[in-house]
Amino acid sequence: CGAKDRTWCLTRSSGPRHYGSGSQCTRDDPQDTRAYFTTPIFYVNAAPHIGHLYSALLADALCRHRRLRVPGTAATRFSTGTDEHGLKIQQAAATAGVAPIELCDRVSAQFQQLFQKAGISSTDFIRTTEARHRVAVQHFWGVLKSRGLLYKGLYEGWYCASDECFLPEAKVTWQPGPSGDSCPVSLESGHPVSWTKEENYIFRLSQFQEPLQRWLRSNPQAITPEPFYYGVLQWLEEELPDLSVSRRSSHLHWGIPVPGDDSQTIYVWLDALVNYLTIIGYPNAEFKSWWPATSHIIGKDILKFHAIYWPALLLGAGLSPPHRIYVHSHWTVCGQKMSKSLGNVVDPRTCLDRYTVDGFRYFLLRQGVPSWDCDYYDEKVVKLLDSELADALGGLLNRCTAKRINPSGTYPAFCTTCFPSKPGLVGPSVRAQAEDYALVSAMASLPKQVAEYYDNFQIYKALEAVSSCVRQTNGFVQRHAPWKLNWESPADAPWLGTVLHVALECLRVFATLLQPVTPNLADKLLSRLGVSATERGLGDLFFLPRFYGHPCPFEGRRLGPETGLLFPRLDQSRAWLVKAHRT
């Protein structure tokens, strides 16, 4: 490709490639591509909160959506886990009077239990205290050293134990401390910092400023959303000093020792970042079939580590940077940052119990906007879930399957004379109106629109698009009032069946598209519609085939068994609405 040094060759792509031009362009078979999704590994100094769950849900939804597009678990991997080394863990364990591994075991188990409860479909949960990870980290260290990228020297600067990172002078400010004295803190996190001076191993990060700039400028989709991409480019306009990558073992013993030098412990962030390689088999050759086909899902507070330090370390080890880095913002509570001192940390386990697993998954992914911080409060959750899941979606299902309206309990036939494919036709049998054609158009384009939103890390927009079409479908049913039509009337029956057929087709598409976000609710809805397990993929999702002159495999099929409310109302003061819909 003309690169002067193959170390910096960044032309490999993990996605489908295009060949030829114009109508002759072809793509690689998507079945041949692999995708590897990762969450950050979460620090075990405290119990998980909703920000941790949000990261995991974003990765889970992206992974589930991809599996529906490219069936087969062998083509997709998804990892999460816990980061268990470092000074902060060492200090927290000492304060609690327990061994560091005991603290790690307890908190890591809390993350595993939460993710299992929330339906996180990861294929691997890694702990950095595992033997396989120690092998990978020490091998990675050895590669950097053999390439002349590590040297031992005196490192002097500010260190933030809470953030486990070194800070330049420009990123430190002075604020009044508890005693009133002025104390140095991190400008970005507000956490205390201390001046550190010790002999460490140092990584030649400064050598990678231009390679990193070239990587990003040639890959504008490498970091999403766009504001974070430009933020990293701006960081790379500043001086990029060499990075300390070890600490004195006498000061930090809870970590992985530097190979051949027990006086030093490997820097916790270098240790942690290598987890993405450990999971796919590094340093064994098998990892190459998964790297760099990797999408990291991270919070904005760790962007610099993933978008500057990690790609530089990878380039230094002769590897390519990850395929994409998806960045999300934080959650506040009633307008305030979550803080143990404020007592406003939201327990995600309580929320999963209170709002159901699918309900809370839906809320976080529907309301979370990666580009900016989002606010949580209980009333917002109740209002959203009652409106969109209980009333709009559940009410629509109740209307279309109620025995009074659909006594046969089937997917009724679609009548092309009542609803011709060409709008504007007139005749005694034509019942379709202009708004009905608008609904068909919106529904036909919805799967592609949703796929594009997923590709652009805009799951909230995908759910917004689905919700908008649910409202349109309810408007369609309300407009034609099937409860006023009579199955015994030769004039009414074809149109009554058509109205129900269209509404059930809409519900089938909604349920299929909601599988990555609300897997249990979607399964319940698809089962009620009589859709089999082999008919739930995205690759062959085709809305209202009869309208386009194709046979519909669902027409005339019996619906699945009644399973009660699709989603229970949380505000019981308005529960009569659901009862009215069911009757």
Side-chain angles (χ1 to χ4, degrees):
C1 66
K4 294 180 179 179
D5 183 334
R6 63 181 179 178
T7 301
W8 317 130
C9 177
L10 308 173
T11 57
R12 292 181 61 190
S13 169
S14 64
R17 297 185 294 274
H18 296 258
Y19 302 97
S21 59
S23 61
Q24 301 301 312
C25 179
T26 61
R27 292 176 182 263
D28 284 342
D29 183 350
Q31 301 279 356
D32 293 336
T33 64
R34 293 188 173 196
Y36 171 35
F37 298 90
T38 76
T39 72
I41 51 171
F42 303 103
Y43 216 40
V44 294
N45 63 309
H49 55 65
I50 62 171
H52 299 129
L53 180 59
Y54 181 54
S55 291
L57 286 177
L58 287 168
D60 185 60
L62 289 173
C63 185
R64 286 177 181 269
H65 187 266
R66 207 270 178 174
R67 287 171 181 157
L68 290 168
R69 292 169 74 175
V70 184
T73 56
T76 306
R77 294 186 72 164
F78 167 25
S79 74
T80 186
T82 44
D83 180 3
E84 304 184 12
H85 288 141
L87 185 61
K88 191 159 51 172
I89 303 300
Q90 181 177 300
Q91 292 173 342
T95 301
V98 298
I101 191 61
E102 185 179 340
L103 174 67
C104 294
D105 287 346
R106 183 174 71 243
V107 181
S108 181
Q110 292 175 0
F111 277 94
Q112 293 181 63
Q113 291 160 9
L114 170 65
F115 292 166
Q116 183 177 12
K117 183 173 185 176
I120 303 303
S121 60
S122 58
T123 55
D124 205 316
F125 188 100
I126 188 169
R127 300 179 57 185
T128 56
T129 47
E130 294 178 40
R132 60 170 174 164
H133 182 63
R134 178 170 177 156
V135 169
V137 171
Q138 291 189 325
H139 182 88
F140 191 85
W141 179 279
V143 172
L144 294 177
K145 187 174 182 181
S146 69
R147 296 169 73 94
L149 294 170
L150 301 178
Y151 64 94
K152 206 168 187 181
L154 188 66
Y155 195 90
E156 189 172 7
W158 295 105
Y159 188 77
C160 179
S162 296
D163 302 330
E164 294 280 15
C165 67
F166 291 94
L167 297 170
E169 188 73 39
K171 298 297 181 181
V172 173
T173 188
W174 293 78
Q175 292 180 355
S179 62
D181 297 333
S182 188
C183 301
V185 298
S186 166
L187 193 60
E188 294 177 350
S189 68
H191 294 144
V193 300
S194 60
W195 188 257
T196 300
K197 183 178 181 180
E198 61 183 48
E199 188 177 45
N200 298 146
Y201 285 94
I202 300 170
F203 173 64
R204 300 185 190 277
L205 181 63
S206 56
Q207 291 187 9
F208 294 85
Q209 188 154 3
E210 289 186 9
L212 289 173
Q213 290 172 330
R214 288 199 299 272
W215 162 57
L216 288 177
R217 286 168 181 160
S218 62
N219 294 274
Q221 294 296 312
I223 300 173
T224 304
E226 196 175 67
F228 297 113
Y229 169 79
Y230 287 111
V232 174
L233 280 177
Q234 187 172 355
W235 281 338
L236 289 171
E237 292 298 321
E238 304 170 3
E239 180 187 2
L240 199 61
D242 287 351
L243 177 68
S244 173
V245 288
S246 73
R247 303 298 308 275
R248 287 197 323 272
S249 299
S250 58
H251 180 67
L252 171 63
H253 59 80
W254 185 241
I256 298 175
V258 168
D261 188 350
D262 290 342
S263 71
Q264 295 282 315
T265 300
I266 294 174
Y267 177 44
V268 65
W269 267 104
L270 191 157
D271 167 354
L273 290 164
V274 174
N275 95 87
Y276 303 127
L277 295 177
T278 304
I279 286 165
I280 52 175
Y282 183 86
N284 297 326
E286 64 183 90
F287 90 93
K288 295 179 181 177
S289 62
W290 290 97
W291 195 271
T294 306
S295 296
H296 295 320
I297 293 85
I298 64 166
K300 65 180 182 181
D301 55 321
I302 54 175
L303 176 57
K304 181 173 288 185
F305 299 96
H306 284 79
I308 294 181
Y309 299 163
W310 180 225
L313 289 165
L314 287 165
L315 290 170
L319 301 174
S320 298
H323 176 54
R324 294 191 78 173
I325 300 172
Y326 295 108
V327 190
H328 67 79
S329 297
H330 296 159
W331 281 87
T332 58
V333 177
C334 299
Q336 291 184 302
K337 184 177 179 180
M338 275 189 288
S339 165
K340 285 186 288 186
S341 61
L342 292 175
N344 66 346
V345 176
V346 178
D347 182 355
R349 294 164 296 186
T350 301
C351 293
L352 292 169
D353 289 334
R354 182 182 302 164
Y355 306 121
T356 77
V357 170
D358 285 278
F360 199 55
R361 284 175 64 108
Y362 185 86
F363 170 77
L364 289 179
L365 293 172
R366 174 76 167 90
Q367 291 290 297
V369 180
S371 298
W372 57 78
D373 290 351
C374 303
D375 198 38
Y376 170 91
Y377 52 92
D378 293 332
E379 295 82 358
K380 182 193 285 189
V381 186
V382 172
K383 184 176 181 180
L384 176 78
L385 298 184
D386 280 355
S387 172
E388 297 193 358
L389 295 187
D391 295 346
L393 191 63
L396 179 62
L397 175 65
N398 292 338
R399 281 178 161 182
C400 298
T401 57
K403 287 187 176 180
R404 187 168 64 87
I405 296 175
N406 190 345
S408 66
T410 62
Y411 224 91
F414 179 88
C415 178
T416 55
T417 57
C418 295
F419 204 145
S421 59
K422 292 185 179 180
L425 294 179
V426 296
S429 301
V430 175
R431 299 284 193 99
Q433 302 174 11
E435 297 95 330
D436 305 332
Y437 289 96
L439 171 64
V440 170
S441 177
M443 288 298 305
S445 63
L446 184 61
K448 181 181 178 183
Q449 187 180 18
V450 165
E452 290 173 348
Y453 284 138
Y454 270 84
D455 287 342
N456 291 317
F457 196 47
Q458 296 173 316
I459 298 172
Y460 71 101
K461 284 192 175 182
L463 294 177
E464 185 179 317
V466 170
S467 180
S468 175
C469 283
V470 172
R471 289 194 298 272
Q472 273 187 274
T473 308
N474 272 302
F476 167 80
V477 173
Q478 188 69 31
R479 187 162 55 248
H480 297 296
W483 49 88
K484 294 182 179 180
L485 301 175
N486 186 354
W487 280 109
E488 303 300 323
S489 166
D492 282 355
W495 179 236
L496 173 53
T498 300
V499 170
L500 292 180
H501 183 98
V502 171
L504 290 172
E505 274 289 273
C506 291
L507 280 166
R508 180 175 67 87
V509 172
F510 298 147
T512 304
L513 294 175
L514 284 173
Q515 289 177 99
V517 174
T518 56
N520 298 315
L521 179 146
D523 173 68
K524 186 176 181 180
L525 178 48
L526 288 166
S527 297
R528 182 70 176 102
L529 297 176
V531 181
S532 70
T534 59
E535 297 171 314
R536 301 181 179 188
L538 294 175
D540 53 0
L541 182 59
F542 187 17
F543 170 71
L544 203 61
R546 292 279 280 112
F547 178 81
Y548 299 97
H550 302 289
C552 175
F554 306 100
E555 194 170 65
R557 185 183 296 187
R558 286 201 63 79
L559 299 177
E562 167 68 50
T563 54
L565 289 175
L566 179 66
F567 190 84
R569 278 194 63 84
L570 299 167
D571 181 0
Q572 290 301 311
S573 67
R574 290 169 57 84
W576 63 270
L577 280 174
V578 176
K579 185 177 180 181
H581 281 158
R582 296 186 74 190
T583 56

